[in-house]
Amino acid sequence: MLDLMTEKVQDESRQGEAYAAFANDPNQYKKRFYIESYGCQMNFADSEVVASILHKEGYGATPNLEEADLVFINTCSIREKAEQTVRKRLTEFRKLKKKKKGMLVGVLGCMAERLKSKFLEEEKLVDIVVGPDAYRSLPGLVEEAEGGQKAVNVLLSRDETYADISPVRLDSNGVSAFVSIMRGCNNMCSFCVVPFTRGRERSRDAASIINECRDLFENGYKEVTLLGQNVDSYYFVDELNDRVVTFAKLMEEVAQISPLLRVRFSTSHPKDITDDVLYTMAKYENICNYIHLPVQSGSSRILQLMNRTYTREWYMAKVDRIRQIIPDCGISSDIITGFCTEEEKDHRDTISIMEYSRYDFSYMFFYSERPGTLAQRRYKDDIPEEVKKRRLQEIVEIQNKLSQESNKKDIGKTFTVLIEGDSKKNDKEWKGRNSQNKVIVFPKENYSLKNGDYVQVKVLDCTQATLLGKIINPEI
Ligand code: SAH
Ligand code: SF4
Ligand code: F3S
């Protein structure tokens, strides 16, 4: 039950649904591939790079698993449960493969990187294993696998950013797109597997990012989310123009493409987000007033064991600074309960920092020990599962209360909303987001609006997860 709740919280945004890609005319391609993605937005963005690499080689995407010659699963290792989900899905692919001769199954992403060729021993019907930095070698590996060999490339790179590859947008609403600005992570939070699965941090060429964003805008997109595990440490030495591009500078240049292009970013590490970034956000109307600022724990002692490099007080001062420079900024968080040695006192510190920060929403997890991480090597995973889950349940309830309070405060306010599509429940209603990243649902009435339009919406009511509104001015 509890797992379902937390998975659901996560599902609503980052996890997304497993999705497939399709091309306009699949018949023109020599073979068809199907790709399903799990994990963070970086993985979803990577699948679009993979699709682009395969397209160039004459493979067309299909949304139908049954008609695919190549089936890929882009995997996540962040928690044990994420890996279990992938294994379950592989069992289904295995059944299909038995029925369909010649179908190849490829495992991509973080789990491929973590398990490497062990995957081929554990999951006998997997044919291809490719880590996040080796996607350029996919066409060659597919050929090898077609020739009957098992194909593996899990080399991590210090400089691969896929800068020159134009991602093929998969399952897109044509309004918002993710743009990868860096890869890897140098932070070594003790609980986290990402530095091992994604390698060293590197920043992508600034000009290629700006070009990609401009192209998206010219193709009708109205929102880009700049992606990295720690976007605030973006740092690119632009030798051509003899300058250094920081994250604040990059964001400014993307914002200058057009006032009609919304700019978002994810994720910020609290230790790295600078005043410069905050002032740039305040300066540009089209840079959204929303920061995902994962706290992980409210206890300085636990934060130190987690190797987060900030204290409770330091984090709270950062929240104050954000509210000072951007008074109406939305803030969300990631929180882990039951980390090694966590006591009730530490847990209460987490609850109080949530209340202090007044998060609009949070992604909440209980600690899952990951092989090879610093925490696994150094500390005992000593909090019983029922305690982890009870604490998780408590913070989920606190967050529900905070979300409800935050939404109630918005009743009566009017926001500029970017229309993303029909609301899930009712095709007579639009769904969109305000700058603070809150979802707003409102009746279409008789206005002739479409996806990607901006509209002024007044909030009349709310649920815990959604604002409910009415169009005030459709022409902006
Ligand atoms: N780069 C991002 C986070 C990426 S992982 C950042 O630094 O904030 C997304 C979230 O998963 C983390 O913020 C953390 O809350 C959670 N997470 C990571 N490792 C975990 C583990 N071993 N057990 C439980 N949750 C974990
Ligand atoms: Fe993991 Fe920490 Fe890097 Fe985020 S910043 S990806 S939590 S090591
Ligand atoms: Fe998962 Fe890898 Fe992202 S472990 S959260 S897919 S970086």
Side-chain angles (χ1 to χ4, degrees):
M1 173 63 195
L2 202 61
D3 273 358
L4 270 180
M5 279 171 63
T6 48
E7 283 303 315
K8 190 167 163 289
V9 175
Q10 208 187 353
D11 269 347
E12 265 158 19
S13 142
R14 269 193 292 184
Q15 199 85 359
E17 300 226 319
Y19 66 91
F22 54 91
N24 292 338
D25 177 11
N27 295 326
Q28 75 192 14
Y29 297 103
K30 61 178 182 195
K31 290 226 162 140
R32 292 173 204 178
F33 69 92
Y34 168 92
I35 186 163
E36 215 169 84
S37 308
Y38 294 86
C40 63
Q41 289 160 346
M42 301 285 298
N43 249 18
F44 283 73
D46 278 2
S47 290
E48 300 185 334
V49 166
V50 167
S52 173
I53 291 170
L54 291 172
H55 255 231
K56 279 220 178 73
E57 294 297 315
Y59 294 94
T62 169
N64 302 321
L65 176 58
E66 284 74 19
E67 69 174 22
D69 308 291
L70 297 168
V71 172
F72 292 108
I73 182 159
N74 199 352
T75 61
C76 174
S77 284
I78 201 83
R79 284 167 291 275
E80 203 184 328
K81 193 150 181 282
E83 293 202 350
Q84 282 165 0
T85 310
V86 167
R87 291 211 191 262
K88 257 195 229 136
R89 197 63 182 132
L90 279 172
T91 321
E92 285 160 31
F93 292 168
R94 200 179 302 146
K95 283 188 206 137
L96 192 68
K97 194 172 152 81
K98 281 188 182 148
K99 276 194 263 165
K100 201 175 164 191
K101 269 227 142 58
M103 183 185 113
L104 296 175
V105 175
V107 178
L108 315 175
C110 291
M111 216 174 148
E113 191 62 50
R114 195 179 82 72
L115 291 164
K116 305 191 166 59
S117 49
K118 255 204 279 177
F119 226 126
L120 298 174
E121 293 152 32
E122 290 173 20
E123 304 277 349
K124 294 252 176 324
L125 291 173
V126 167
D127 306 284
I128 306 168
V129 176
V130 191
D133 284 348
Y135 295 143
R136 283 183 206 267
S137 66
L138 252 175
L141 295 171
V142 169
E143 254 174 52
E144 275 179 38
E146 282 170 344
Q149 297 171 50
K150 298 281 179 191
V152 183
N153 187 348
V154 288
L155 285 177
L156 285 173
S157 156
R158 277 182 176 265
D159 46 28
E160 178 63 275
T161 58
Y162 302 111
D164 55 314
I165 294 181
S166 296
V168 169
R169 303 290 160 191
L170 300 172
D171 198 37
S172 164
N173 61 2
V175 178
S176 338
F178 295 116
V179 176
S180 210
I181 64 164
M182 59 206 293
R183 301 182 70 82
C185 182
N186 284 356
N187 277 329
M188 287 294 178
C189 302
S190 64
F191 51 80
C192 186
V193 78
V194 172
F196 305 95
T197 62
R198 297 238 158 205
R200 304 294 293 170
E201 180 184 289
R202 64 224 98 124
S203 296
R204 176 178 167 190
D205 179 292
S208 80
I209 297 171
I210 291 157
N211 286 341
E212 186 175 326
C213 295
R214 188 177 295 113
D215 269 4
L216 283 164
F217 182 68
E218 283 167 3
N219 283 298
Y221 284 81
K222 295 288 174 56
E223 183 176 83
V224 291
T225 303
L226 307 177
L227 286 185
Q229 293 299 349
N230 181 13
V231 288
D232 301 282
S233 63
Y234 179 87
Y235 187 88
F236 183 73
V237 183
D238 179 358
E239 280 164 4
L240 221 59
N241 298 302
D242 193 23
R243 63 175 195 153
V244 159
V245 187
T246 60
F247 180 59
K249 185 78 191 126
L250 178 76
M251 194 162 63
E252 175 161 51
E253 291 184 9
V254 176
Q256 284 168 342
I257 291 173
S258 165
L260 290 177
L261 180 68
R262 274 188 170 178
V263 185
R264 298 187 185 277
F265 55 89
S266 185
T267 299
S268 295
H269 193 300
K271 78 174 162 64
D272 290 318
I273 189 163
T274 57
D275 276 6
D276 220 14
V277 167
L278 300 179
Y279 283 122
T280 308
M281 290 174 73
K283 183 171 163 197
Y284 290 88
E285 186 68 31
N286 57 327
I287 302 182
C288 289
N289 291 347
Y290 166 64
I291 301 176
H292 184 57
L293 196 73
V295 69
Q296 312 298 359
S297 168
S299 151
S300 293
R301 186 182 69 85
I302 296 290
L303 286 168
Q304 193 174 9
L305 293 182
M306 287 177 162
N307 202 20
R308 288 291 286 183
T309 72
Y310 52 84
T311 60
R312 169 185 175 82
E313 289 70 29
W314 198 92
Y315 183 94
M316 286 155 85
K318 193 53 90 178
V319 169
D320 293 345
R321 193 76 183 136
I322 293 171
R323 301 229 187 266
Q324 196 184 346
I325 298 174
I326 316 164
D328 62 344
C329 195
I331 305 182
S332 61
S333 192
D334 290 349
I335 301 167
I336 299 176
T337 64
F339 187 65
C340 315
T341 79
E342 187 187 71
E343 293 174 13
E344 290 304 319
K345 184 162 65 67
D346 302 307
H347 174 54
R348 282 197 299 276
D349 280 348
T350 297
I351 291 179
S352 73
I353 212 164
M354 290 171 75
E355 288 179 329
Y356 184 86
S357 310
R358 286 181 278 120
Y359 297 128
D360 297 300
F361 59 92
S362 294
Y363 301 95
M364 295 160 280
F365 317 98
F366 61 81
Y367 174 56
S368 163
E369 187 179 76
R370 308 309 294 132
T373 54
L374 288 180
Q376 185 261 326
R377 285 183 274 146
R378 282 190 198 157
Y379 316 124
K380 192 159 171 265
D381 180 14
D382 58 350
I383 308 300
E385 185 145 319
E386 66 272 16
V387 175
K388 287 182 181 174
K389 288 189 173 171
R390 194 254 303 149
R391 289 180 187 162
L392 178 60
Q393 173 75 54
E394 284 171 13
I395 65 162
V396 167
E397 277 164 21
I398 299 287
Q399 184 54 57
N400 287 348
K401 184 191 77 172
L402 293 174
S403 301
Q404 182 92 37
E405 280 170 13
S406 159
N407 281 355
K408 274 202 176 135
K409 274 201 192 140
D410 287 338
I411 295 177
K413 291 186 192 160
T414 298
F415 293 105
T416 304
V417 173
L418 174 61
I419 298 180
E420 289 173 14
D422 289 353
S423 95
K424 261 190 226 148
K425 290 186 194 137
N426 183 349
D427 64 6
K428 294 196 170 55
E429 288 177 344
W430 291 117
K431 183 190 97 163
R433 271 166 221 267
N434 65 5
S435 173
Q436 290 75 10
N437 206 31
K438 285 191 183 173
V439 173
I440 307 194
V441 168
F442 50 96
K444 291 181 179 174
E445 301 181 50
N446 290 325
Y447 298 113
S448 57
L449 291 162
K450 58 184 186 316
N451 283 3
D453 284 347
Y454 288 100
V455 63
Q456 295 280 343
V457 178
K458 183 170 180 179
V459 178
L460 303 177
D461 201 355
C462 69
T463 67
Q464 185 191 300
T466 315
L467 301 176
L468 310 168
K470 181 179 169 36
I471 295 172
I472 296 296
N473 175 9
E475 285 161 41
I476 45 167

